[in-house]
Amino acid sequence: MENRLYKLTRPEVEEYLKENDVVLLPVGSTEQHGKHMAIDTDAYTAQEISLMVAEKTGVLVAPTVSYGYSPHHMNFKGSVTLTFQTLVNVLKEVCASLIHHGFNKIVVMNAHGGNTNPIKQALKEIQDETGKRVYSVMVYPMPDGFGAEGTSVIEQEGGGHACELETSVGLYLGHRVLMDRAEKWTPEHTSIDPKYRRKVSAAYMYDENTSIGSTGDPTLATREKGKILVESVVKDLAEFIEDLKTL
Ligand SMILES: [Zn+2]
């Protein structure tokens, strides 16, 4: 079955909507991913994981929102950001269009931590304005999220951006990864002691934290770890989609 909404004809969409009202909306970013990963990493991952989940569950995938909220990456070349409110509006308008046609169960498949707050805002405004509940999930496996089981293969300390986990996922998904350029990160934050991480909030540019543009230790990444991570998160996400169908 063709799972990409944008490759269907209008009558095929009509047929789908008679049986099903779930659609996945991949949301990524266009931002630097260190010296070894491509700028479209998050957009690519959001789309590929969504297609794998769709394949398992028979639902449709809408076109990927490839630009995200990445102002903190703008000191690195190649990064492109929407403003907070623009991303909120893009999400609201895309969801409103899908809801208009009867896609009553939209799942935002997010691949970029920086998008979390704009997505939350959009979900709240959609709920207030239309009464429709839109869901959002993170497509990268997380120790406290979907694919938690798979994260046991991770050996690095810290991480979070173009790190061992993200690089392993990229290797498995066949993305452009230059392993010979991968570098281990040493925390460089000058303005606040790392022991206050997760306790104190402040706005930082990403290069204040890492001059190489990545964190964690991507040199530990392998395709095999990526396979375990991806299969684990796809399995968990597919389970969620099956549950959502019955709501
Ligand atoms: Zn990323």
Side-chain angles (χ1 to χ4, degrees), residues 23 26 70 87 121 124 160 175 184 206 213 227:
V23 65
S70 309
L87 180 56
Q121 182 66 23
K124 173 79 177 105
H175 200 217
K184 185 178 176 193
Y206 214 69
K227 183 175 193 290

Side-chain angles (χ1 to χ4, degrees), residues 14 24 32 124 128 205 212 214 217:
E14 289 166 1
L24 309 183
Q32 71 86 28
K124 173 79 177 105
D128 287 350
M205 290 302 277
I212 57 173
S214 54
D217 190 357

Side-chain angles (χ1 to χ4, degrees), residues 98-116:
L98 293 166
I99 290 166
H100 175 77
H101 297 304
F103 290 101
N104 288 316
K105 294 167 187 164
I106 303 171
V107 182
V108 174
M109 306 286 282
N110 180 33
H112 171 51
N115 291 340
T116 307

